[in-house]
Amino acid sequence: MAIKTDEFINEEKILQNTNNWMDKQLEKMEKNNIQLENKLAELKKQSKGAYSYDVETTTNLYNITSKILNNYKEVKDKPYFARIDFEEITKRNKESFYIGKIGLMDEVSGEEVVVDWRAPIADLYYNSTSGRSYYEAPIGKIEGELLLKRKFVIKDRKLIDAFDEGIDQIILKSKSDEDGNTLQDEFLRINLEEGVNGKLKDIVATIQKEQNEVIRAERGKGLIVQGSAGSGKTTIALHRLAYLLYKYRNKISGKNVLVIAPNKLFLDYISDILPNLGVEDVKQKTFEELALEILKVKLKINPKDKKLAYIIENNDVETIGFIKDSSSFKSSMQFKECIDRYIEYIESYDMDYEDIIVDGYVIIKGDDIKRLFTEDLAHNVINKRKQEIKRYLFNKIDNKIANISADIEKQYYVKINKVRASKEDGPDRRKELTELYDERDAKIAAVKADIKAKLNEYVNEWGNEDVVHLYERLFVNEKIFNRVIGDKVTGELAEYMRKKFTENMQDKVIDSDDLAAMIYLKFRIKGIEDKYKYQHIVIDEAQDYSFFELLALRQMAIGDSFTIVGDTGQSIYYYKGINDWKPLVERVFNKDVTYTELTQSYRSTVEIVNFANRVLRKQENSLEPAKPVLRHGKEPSIIKYDSKEELCSILDDIVKDMTSINKKNIAIICKDYNQCNRIKNILAKASKNKWKLIKDTDKKISLDKIILPSYMTKGLEFDCAIVMDCDNDNYGDNELDKRLLYVVLTRALHRVYIMHNKPLSALLE
């Protein structure tokens, strides 16, 4: 409910006071920063390029104050978005707290002017309703009465509107699922009605209870979130990361965490969220980029999108079958077990367990080395075992050399005594004895050097083969392949896999399906470098990753601290990705993971969500259809066109209509890239508007009038989505088409248009 006039006027005064305080703070901070900058410049000048402790400490201080200054500037126009009034049981006096994107502290009074949204007390705003409430603080549970939850619409430092939560639930469930859930929160409605601004934005002001529970879940255990299209799972995962970095700021920093996203376009799309939340230095990569970095190779990748495009665009049933079967096998835990078997083969048959012999002396017995390698040190990765054995061998070498030296001296003692006994003292005798002494010492020195050289040669040849070449040998060597993998795949598939891998290596290409196995093999052989051990990992669009890929990523998460978000209803790589979370939970995470669901859809109108749910219900999964928040709009429009000219005219009218309501982010979505090219050429000749074709090589994206293939739309959202040629040829009765169509139908916030020239797809019935 909107607040009363007198309360609104009072809130205006409070906001004005906050603005005035902010202005003074910014002026003071900018002045201090300029002084620090000048001081730093002078110190650098004095140091003349040499190391200076003063330069180092002043630089660190300047970086910290600059960051704080930038954060203050970021929230200057909107210092807070909510207020709560809370009365602790032990204090018996009401306190008001204003909540914002960052905490603002008055250094003079020591009072918090604005509370950070991640602070423990802010949990009352997100999770509690009026009445008896509590929040968890570092000192324990704080109980009391929540007397007020007030939300502000602030623009350009002015209070536009304010609302008090006057009901027990922000969203009330309606009688009919088709009608969605009744949206009672006017504040939320205002935010949902806004258009797309080009990049994914933060939602700190409108985080809902189910979302907040995900954000504030503890990090000591892995978290898997199944989120319906439009549930905000990507945004929530990134807000969770910002929350964890705030809560555990003395333990982890942005440099210690990793975000894995499906492609570079998506990385660009989400690139503003973390900086806007005050989070810096977070590594954000695709799985392919990370894998190449770990493997330290500069080869081209055959990405999963390219293979999916081939499957969509071609009719070669046999080749497509091999592509899917190969991808499915290499993505499975069964293939992981094959790699384990390959490592056992390396340990048993690919290592040299022969005796180390120098000049007839047995330095180390092969059986001792084998016992150390395969039994005593088997709990270590291969290279660690090698290091431990090397240390063991060189620790034993001194005693061995001493024993051999003593044996050589014994041999020469006999020779020397024989000369002494057989010859009179004189120049010839002394010369012969000297030669024997020199020969003895030279032999001892030579044996000593040979032993060390032999040991170095022996251990240095162990396990030093490049991991990529080691993996390549698995496919090139037919005997090894048959021993390790042969019984797991058919003869035809085995031949295809080996031939394709060989061709890729000749072209200096790595298939994306091989990356997980290569990483896993490297981790088992050489261990995980410290720089690839992360305090927390976020994996988005996880339904499109394989069991093996997620296992490899799990190994990099210290203490199993990770957040996995996805939607199996959008699993377009169904032949290799996740179609059901249960097997993943059991086989990859051994049930030691928390699973939760986000079912509320906030992106699209009721009409769009219900329309898309027609397709979701036809999929082969047990997902509950998304539950839309009751934000109504136009029904999706199904339009038949008869000519290219008519198509261009219709699309131009759609652009005009959307522009008239100030919605400019419009996407034409074709099934594949070939169709995108065809539509682009048609529009270039007859459309009044300029359309940009998005390519899979693009690293940045602008959402203003674009054309892109269906498989590149996941995670993105638009004001308006135009689904091109939605007929039975493009979207037939098969699982891939059902998932692709569901994805493209759930991208729009406000309008969906279905274009067709042939009979409409039966999936929409």
Side-chain angles (χ1 to χ4, degrees):
M1 62 186 76
I3 66 174
K4 297 177 181 178
T5 302
D6 57 338
E7 293 182 3
F8 187 88
I9 293 171
N10 184 55
E11 292 293 0
E12 281 186 312
K13 292 178 181 178
I14 292 172
L15 177 59
Q16 185 58 52
N17 290 337
T18 305
N19 288 339
N20 294 338
W21 176 84
M22 284 281 288
D23 290 339
K24 292 178 181 178
Q25 286 293 110
L26 284 168
E27 182 181 357
K28 178 182 176 182
M29 292 167 72
E30 285 177 335
K31 183 178 179 181
N32 289 340
N33 233 40
I34 290 172
Q35 290 175 349
L36 266 177
E37 190 175 10
N38 292 336
K39 179 182 178 182
L40 182 58
E42 182 62 29
L43 288 171
K44 286 181 177 179
K45 184 178 179 182
Q46 292 174 5
S47 68
K48 297 179 179 179
Y51 171 77
S52 166
Y53 175 77
D54 289 339
V55 169
E56 182 181 14
T57 55
T58 306
T59 298
N60 291 336
L61 180 59
Y62 177 73
N63 290 337
I64 292 170
T65 57
S66 295
K67 181 180 178 180
I68 295 172
L69 176 60
N70 289 333
N71 286 340
Y72 271 56
K73 288 180 177 179
E74 175 72 26
V75 299
K76 177 183 177 182
D77 291 341
K78 187 179 178 180
Y80 51 79
F81 54 80
R83 165 188 162 186
I84 58 172
D85 290 353
F86 185 65
E87 183 180 287
E88 286 186 33
I89 291 177
T90 56
K91 292 184 178 180
R92 292 296 178 186
N93 65 300
K94 180 186 76 174
E95 291 183 274
S96 295
F97 301 92
Y98 286 80
I99 302 170
K101 193 183 293 187
I102 63 169
L104 304 175
M105 177 73 73
D106 189 324
E107 296 177 357
V108 176
S109 65
E111 296 287 330
E112 272 191 302
V113 179
V114 176
V115 174
D116 193 296
W117 70 275
R118 298 165 290 187
I121 196 169
D123 191 37
L124 292 170
Y125 170 70
Y126 297 112
N127 256 18
S128 299
T129 55
S130 299
R132 286 296 296 270
S133 302
Y134 71 90
Y135 66 94
E136 295 288 349
I139 60 172
K141 183 185 290 187
I142 307 297
E143 296 182 286
E145 289 279 333
L146 181 61
L147 305 173
L148 177 71
K149 282 176 68 173
R150 180 166 289 170
K151 304 164 187 182
F152 303 107
V153 178
I154 298 173
K155 291 183 179 179
D156 298 327
R157 315 191 85 189
K158 292 183 180 180
L159 183 61
I160 307 301
D161 216 336
F163 305 92
D164 285 350
E165 183 182 314
I167 53 174
D168 288 340
Q169 294 293 336
I170 292 175
I171 300 171
L172 298 179
K173 187 171 177 59
S174 68
K175 295 179 181 178
S176 169
D177 286 339
E178 288 295 315
D179 289 338
N181 292 330
T182 307
L183 183 59
Q184 298 285 356
D185 189 344
E186 184 67 12
F187 180 71
L188 178 59
R189 185 195 65 77
I190 290 171
N191 281 273
L192 292 179
E193 289 287 354
E194 291 183 0
V196 180
N197 66 359
K199 295 283 184 74
L200 198 62
K201 56 188 178 181
D202 70 76
I203 59 166
V204 292
T206 58
I207 294 169
Q208 300 300 294
K209 184 176 180 179
E210 64 171 359
Q211 297 172 327
N212 185 57
E213 289 171 352
V214 171
I215 290 171
R216 294 176 187 255
E218 288 300 316
R219 77 180 185 104
K221 195 174 184 181
L223 178 65
I224 296 177
V225 180
Q226 158 61 37
S228 300
S231 61
K233 55 187 173 293
T234 296
T235 312
I236 293 309
L238 296 176
H239 281 65
R240 169 166 166 73
L241 183 55
Y243 169 76
L244 293 176
L245 287 170
Y246 172 86
K247 183 174 182 179
Y248 301 102
R249 53 192 175 276
N250 295 325
K251 297 180 180 179
I252 60 176
S253 68
K255 295 178 181 178
N256 305 131
V257 298
L258 171 69
V259 174
I260 294 292
N263 53 56
K264 292 179 181 179
L265 276 181
F266 189 84
L267 284 171
D268 179 60
Y269 179 60
I270 67 173
S271 61
D272 283 353
I273 283 193
L274 290 177
N276 285 345
L277 293 173
V279 175
E280 297 177 345
D281 300 325
V282 171
K283 182 183 284 188
Q284 301 181 58
K285 289 186 174 292
T286 65
F287 181 80
E288 290 83 0
E289 287 178 313
L290 179 67
L292 289 181
E293 186 181 310
I294 292 172
L295 295 171
K296 294 180 172 60
V297 294
K298 294 181 179 180
L299 299 175
K300 293 180 181 179
I301 292 288
N302 181 29
K304 62 181 184 295
D305 282 351
K306 186 177 180 180
K307 291 201 288 185
L308 179 64
Y310 183 91
I311 291 171
I312 293 172
E313 296 169 5
N314 291 275
N315 297 316
D316 185 346
V317 176
E318 184 180 29
T319 301
I320 289 173
F322 281 137
I323 290 173
K324 292 196 292 187
D325 290 346
S326 173
S327 183
S328 176
F329 176 68
K330 288 184 177 180
S331 301
S332 68
M333 293 297 283
Q334 188 179 44
F335 188 50
K336 177 261 181 189
E337 292 164 4
C338 289
I339 299 299
D340 288 333
R341 193 188 303 183
Y342 182 39
I343 292 168
E344 291 174 4
Y345 173 86
I346 292 170
E347 292 174 348
S348 300
Y349 302 100
D350 211 34
M351 291 292 184
D352 184 3
Y353 296 123
E354 297 296 321
D355 294 346
I356 300 176
I357 300 174
V358 174
D359 200 24
Y361 294 99
V362 177
I363 309 303
I364 301 292
K365 290 185 177 180
D367 288 343
D368 290 342
I369 296 173
K370 185 174 184 179
R371 175 181 51 78
L372 286 169
F373 194 83
T374 60
E375 297 178 22
D376 297 355
L377 299 172
H379 59 284
N380 292 315
V381 298
I382 288 178
N383 271 22
K384 178 67 174 176
R385 282 182 254 176
K386 171 190 163 185
Q387 293 167 5
E388 291 298 323
I389 291 174
K390 182 177 180 179
R391 187 179 295 113
Y392 169 80
L393 294 178
F394 278 92
N395 283 339
K396 289 190 68 176
I397 198 174
D398 289 339
N399 287 335
K400 199 69 179 178
I401 289 173
N403 291 335
I404 293 173
S405 297
D407 186 64
I408 293 172
E409 286 181 347
K410 184 178 180 182
Q411 295 173 23
Y412 277 85
Y413 177 79
V414 174
K415 293 180 181 180
I416 289 168
N417 282 341
K418 186 176 180 181
V419 171
R420 283 174 174 167
S422 63
K423 293 186 178 181
E424 293 287 338
D425 186 25
D428 291 342
R429 178 188 174 191
R430 287 195 292 273
K431 179 181 178 182
E432 189 173 350
L433 286 173
T434 299
E435 288 175 349
L436 283 173
Y437 282 124
D438 290 344
E439 184 180 309
R440 178 199 66 186
D441 294 343
K443 187 169 185 179
I444 290 173
V447 168
K448 184 176 181 180
D450 286 348
I451 289 173
K452 290 185 176 181
K454 188 75 172 180
L455 283 181
N456 277 313
E457 178 186 355
Y458 184 81
V459 297
N460 287 337
E461 288 178 354
W462 258 20
N464 275 343
E465 189 174 2
D466 177 78
V467 169
V468 175
H469 291 148
L470 198 62
Y471 185 75
E472 181 181 6
R473 189 148 60 93
L474 171 61
F475 286 87
V476 172
N477 189 311
E478 186 175 3
K479 179 182 177 182
I480 296 176
F481 183 92
N482 289 336
R483 185 185 188 98
V484 172
I485 298 176
D487 62 335
K488 304 298 181 183
V489 296
T490 65
E492 293 84 357
L493 181 57
E495 184 180 353
Y496 170 82
M497 289 169 60
R498 294 185 62 231
K499 180 181 178 182
K500 193 65 181 176
F501 187 88
T502 302
E503 291 173 354
N504 284 338
M505 286 292 102
Q506 290 171 350
D507 295 335
K508 299 188 183 305
V509 170
I510 296 180
D511 193 293
S512 58
D513 288 332
D514 290 309
L515 294 174
M518 287 182 175
I519 292 174
Y520 180 75
L521 183 61
K522 180 167 185 177
F523 289 168
R524 288 289 309 273
I525 297 289
K526 299 187 175 183
I528 306 173
E529 295 179 65
D530 287 341
K531 65 180 179 180
Y532 297 119
K533 295 176 182 177
Y534 298 99
Q535 293 285 353
H536 194 78
I537 298 178
V538 172
I539 307 167
D540 199 5
E541 298 292 343
Q543 76 279 351
D544 291 333
Y545 294 90
S546 70
F547 280 25
F548 208 169
E549 288 168 337
L550 291 172
L551 175 70
L553 288 168
R554 184 192 181 193
Q555 292 180 306
M556 291 182 265
I558 298 172
D560 259 1
S561 182
F562 55 82
T563 303
I564 293 176
V565 297
D567 178 15
T568 54
Q570 301 180 61
S571 181
I572 59 177
Y573 304 92
Y574 65 97
Y575 47 87
K576 62 163 280 185
I578 310 298
N579 296 303
D580 184 351
W581 298 109
K582 186 177 179 181
L584 178 76
V585 170
E586 294 176 349
R587 299 204 62 194
V588 175
F589 298 104
N590 303 315
K591 299 183 180 181
D592 189 23
V593 66
T594 300
Y595 173 82
T596 190
E597 295 183 0
L598 295 175
T599 57
Q600 198 76 51
S601 179
Y602 300 96
R603 176 188 295 141
S604 307
T605 62
V606 171
E607 291 74 17
I608 293 174
V609 174
N610 288 337
F611 191 82
N613 281 343
R614 296 183 195 176
V615 180
L616 180 65
R617 289 188 178 96
K618 291 180 171 68
Q619 292 184 16
E620 295 176 5
N621 60 49
S622 57
L623 288 178
E624 286 293 322
K627 301 171 184 177
V629 169
L630 191 54
R631 182 173 66 85
H632 280 290
K634 288 187 175 183
E635 289 283 349
S637 300
I638 300 174
I639 304 172
K640 186 177 187 302
Y641 68 94
D642 296 317
S643 66
K644 298 176 182 178
E645 292 75 19
E646 184 185 8
L647 173 62
C648 291
S649 177
I650 292 170
L651 295 180
D652 284 342
D653 286 343
I654 291 173
V655 172
K656 184 178 179 181
D657 183 43
M658 294 304 299
T659 304
S660 70
I661 58 172
N662 199 31
K663 309 298 182 191
K664 62 178 183 178
N665 291 305
I666 304 168
I668 295 175
I669 305 172
C670 304
K671 186 179 182 183
D672 59 48
Y673 191 74
N674 288 338
Q675 293 177 20
C676 287
N677 255 324
R678 182 177 63 84
I679 294 298
K680 176 69 167 67
N681 292 332
I682 291 172
L683 292 172
K685 294 176 182 178
S687 175
K688 298 175 183 178
N689 294 283
K690 186 176 181 180
W691 296 85
K692 176 177 172 56
L693 176 59
I694 302 299
K695 303 174 183 177
D696 59 4
T697 54
D698 289 345
K699 296 181 180 180
K700 294 187 178 295
I701 187 171
S702 170
L703 302 181
D704 187 3
K705 293 188 285 294
I706 61 173
I707 306 170
L708 73 170
S710 57
Y711 49 85
M712 289 180 63
T713 63
K714 281 192 303 81
L716 304 179
E717 57 185 31
F718 315 101
D719 290 324
C720 172
I722 302 168
V723 184
M724 280 303 306
D725 296 329
C726 190
D727 52 52
N728 287 312
D729 290 342
N730 282 318
Y731 296 100
D733 188 16
N734 62 77
E735 200 63 18
L736 175 57
D737 287 353
K738 292 173 186 176
R739 298 187 184 193
L740 284 172
L741 185 54
Y742 178 69
V743 169
V744 302
L745 289 175
T746 55
R747 298 306 95 199
L749 277 71
H750 307 291
R751 303 278 178 84
V752 170
Y753 294 89
I754 311 295
M755 309 299 298
H756 68 107
N757 181 250
K758 299 176 182 179
L760 186 68
S761 171
L763 296 180
L764 296 179
E765 294 176 354

